[in-house]
Amino acid sequence: MDDWTMSDEREFMENLLNERFNFYLVVYGAVVVSAGTVESWFAKMIILIVGAILLALLLLTIGRAQVKLDYIIGELCATKTAVRLGHCHPVAVIDERARHSKTFPRGRRRLVGFYIPAFCFVTVYLAAAFASCFVI
């Protein structure tokens, strides 16, 4: 029986994060399309409110997976000296180099785990808020 390594855990968490993010985008698309095609103001409000609640809950699970992945990648190589010398996992080496990139200095990994889901949630939340203010 093989031992579960930190590299296996990283691979598992990356796949879990990607699957949750893809599901989040499907739910977001379904909420937006449903709210856009329904004629009734009341039905539109229900769809947007339920969609915002569902997206908020999914956002929490995606954020948790992103935090875990960040910790795992950090543990793959705990010291910056080891990263510079190349004595750690390749993912940690690439992550350290990507952080010092001039095009995106803080890295892009958090886009999937935090920023894109938060943007999607805010758009649905604001749509629900505006739809409740303006009865069409």
Side-chain angles (χ1 to χ4, degrees), residues 29-41:
V31 168
V32 169
V33 169
S34 299
T37 57
V38 73
E39 295 293 328
S40 168
W41 172 82

Side-chain angles (χ1 to χ4, degrees), residues 119-131:
F119 174 77
C120 294
F121 167 72
V122 168
T123 58
V124 170
Y125 179 79
L126 290 176
F130 286 130

Side-chain angles (χ1 to χ4, degrees), residues 32-127:
V32 169
V33 169
S34 299
T37 57
V38 73
E39 295 293 328
S40 168
W41 172 82
F42 183 72
K44 188 176 297 214
M45 282 302 305
I46 295 297
I47 289 169
L48 289 172
I49 290 171
V50 170
I53 292 169
L54 186 58
L55 289 174
L57 294 174
L58 291 172
L59 176 63
L60 294 175
T61 64
I62 291 172
R64 178 72 174 150
Q66 179 65 57
V67 168
K68 284 183 175 183
L69 181 62
D70 289 343
Y71 283 134
I72 290 168
I73 290 176
E75 283 296 315
L76 286 174
C77 196
T79 64
K80 292 185 179 183
T81 306
V83 171
R84 277 187 242 117
L85 296 175
H87 296 283
C88 57
H89 197 278
V91 170
V93 174
I94 297 303
D95 183 59
E96 186 64 27
R97 289 182 184 166
R99 286 181 194 218
H100 298 297
S101 165
K102 292 180 182 177
T103 57
F104 208 93
R106 299 194 78 201
R108 293 182 179 101
R109 193 173 63 235
R110 293 180 161 260
L111 286 173
V112 170
F114 294 114
Y115 301 124
I116 294 173
F119 174 77
C120 294
F121 167 72
V122 168
T123 58
V124 170
Y125 179 79
L126 290 176

